[in-house]
Amino acid sequence: RGEKARLDRIEKHFGTRPIRDLTAGDVQSFLTGLRAAELSTGTVNRHLAALSVAFRFAVERGFALTNPSKGLPRPREEIPAVRFLSSADVDRLVASAADAPFAALVRVLADSGLRRGEALALEWRDADVARRVVVVRKSKSKRSREVPMTLAVHAALDALSESRAPIPMEGPDLVWPGLASIHPSCVTVRFQRAAKRVGFKGLRLHDLRHGCGSRLAQAGVALPTIAAILGHGALTTTMRYANHLPGGATVDAMKRLDPAPPPKTENATNSTHEGVAGGDVAIVNVASSAAVAG
């Protein structure tokens, strides 16, 4: 729906002008109009990306000679602060689910950091309860990954497997076939309603993924490890969770740059005292021996 809205706005602006006649100035003028309408930087960049794809397609098909959107600057977008969800918050959200399959989905999303599409595409062969890992075969980054199960995820999937439907004769054996058969946005709306019932107004389903990354960061997990768990293509994406580092983490990190403290002198002092005492005893023994000999 978002792509269609952007294309409709592009078509309305440029009208029936042949794509081969459009220039970089025309594209820049269109983007300036979007900014004047107070659209966000991210929205403006998405329109530029859609135009770039259209021009690239036109060049490949011979409808245009050049891509006038190529090289146009894209303003840097501000990374919004992610909402933090504690373990207690997750427990409340799981309890708000109307049925066991949906509760298991909320638990997996919250404790594994999977994207909505990744979770709904999971098959039972991917929920390896024996090895305690979730195998993500279809991801946004086009790379598969394995996410270890928490105790809560393992328990949820183990309980769900006991009530699973018979293996289909054809097609994938999905973990959530009922939820996968409806539009993904309906799954999100269902979650939002359940979250609102327990006091989480405005919480999105995707916030469960952010909550997982935030809790990992607060537990002191290194950002590259969080990136591997969440399947980020670039570490810059994971940097949004740096705001949730545990208290004192930066102070402890900087202390590692301080020079090593000098060795303690207590043992050396004791050794000196012991040496003096030992010497006195030796002198007394020598004097005693001389007196006996005399």
Side-chain angles (χ1 to χ4, degrees):
R1 289 196 300 268
E3 285 292 346
K4 186 178 186 304
R6 285 188 281 272
L7 292 175
D8 288 344
R9 188 177 284 113
I10 290 171
E11 184 180 6
K12 181 179 179 180
H13 177 84
F14 292 106
T16 58
R17 293 180 60 186
I19 196 170
R20 64 177 177 274
D21 294 340
L22 298 180
T23 65
D26 295 325
V27 176
Q28 190 64 62
S29 176
F30 170 66
L31 299 177
T32 301
L34 296 181
R35 297 188 187 97
E38 298 185 351
L39 297 181
S40 68
T41 301
T43 299
V44 175
N45 285 343
R46 298 296 87 72
H47 280 80
L48 178 56
L51 274 171
S52 181
V53 172
F55 282 122
R56 189 164 63 246
F57 179 87
V59 171
E60 292 173 353
R61 299 301 188 279
F63 302 138
L65 296 178
T66 60
N67 181 351
S69 67
K70 187 175 182 180
L72 292 181
R74 297 190 184 188
R76 177 171 295 183
E77 302 174 29
E78 293 185 4
I79 300 178
V82 297
R83 189 165 180 173
F84 182 80
L85 293 173
S86 66
S87 297
D89 293 334
V90 172
D91 291 341
R92 290 173 58 197
L93 290 167
V94 172
S96 71
D99 53 68
F102 197 74
L105 175 65
V106 173
R107 175 60 69 183
V108 169
L109 292 174
D111 281 11
S112 299
L114 269 62
R115 301 177 178 90
R116 179 185 61 187
E118 294 173 343
L120 295 179
L122 283 180
E123 302 179 32
W124 277 111
R125 62 174 179 147
D126 304 324
D128 197 332
V129 178
R131 292 177 54 226
R132 295 185 177 235
V133 295
V134 175
V135 182
V136 180
R137 303 182 190 276
K138 301 177 182 178
S139 68
K140 183 179 179 180
S141 61
K142 309 300 181 184
R143 294 191 297 268
S144 62
R145 70 183 188 279
E146 290 188 352
V147 181
M149 294 182 186
T150 63
L151 294 176
V153 167
H154 181 268
L157 290 176
D158 195 27
L160 191 61
S161 66
E162 295 180 0
S163 59
R164 60 186 288 195
I167 299 176
M169 296 297 294
E170 57 183 17
D173 184 18
L174 297 174
V175 175
W176 290 282
L179 295 173
S181 63
I182 62 178
H183 197 278
S185 62
C186 297
V187 178
T188 298
V189 171
R190 182 176 176 182
F191 169 77
Q192 289 173 328
R193 290 173 179 170
K196 188 176 180 180
R197 286 196 297 267
V198 291
F200 292 95
K201 186 178 180 180
L203 189 68
R204 306 170 305 158
L205 189 68
H206 197 71
D207 289 329
L208 296 177
R209 173 175 167 84
H210 289 322
C212 179
S214 299
R215 282 185 290 136
L216 288 171
Q218 193 176 64
V221 178
L223 292 178
T225 303
I226 298 176
I229 292 172
L230 299 182
H232 287 160
L235 189 58
T236 52
T237 306
T238 321
M239 287 301 298
R240 68 181 67 188
Y241 304 116
N243 292 331
H244 297 296
L245 291 174
T250 54
V251 175
D252 292 340
M254 296 308 295
K255 284 182 178 179
R256 300 185 182 185
L257 298 182
D258 292 335
K264 294 182 178 180
T265 59
E266 181 180 354
N267 293 336
T269 303
N270 291 339
S271 298
T272 304
H273 291 164
E274 291 173 359
V276 172
D280 292 343
V281 172
I283 294 172
V284 172
N285 290 339
V286 170
S288 301
S289 300
V292 171

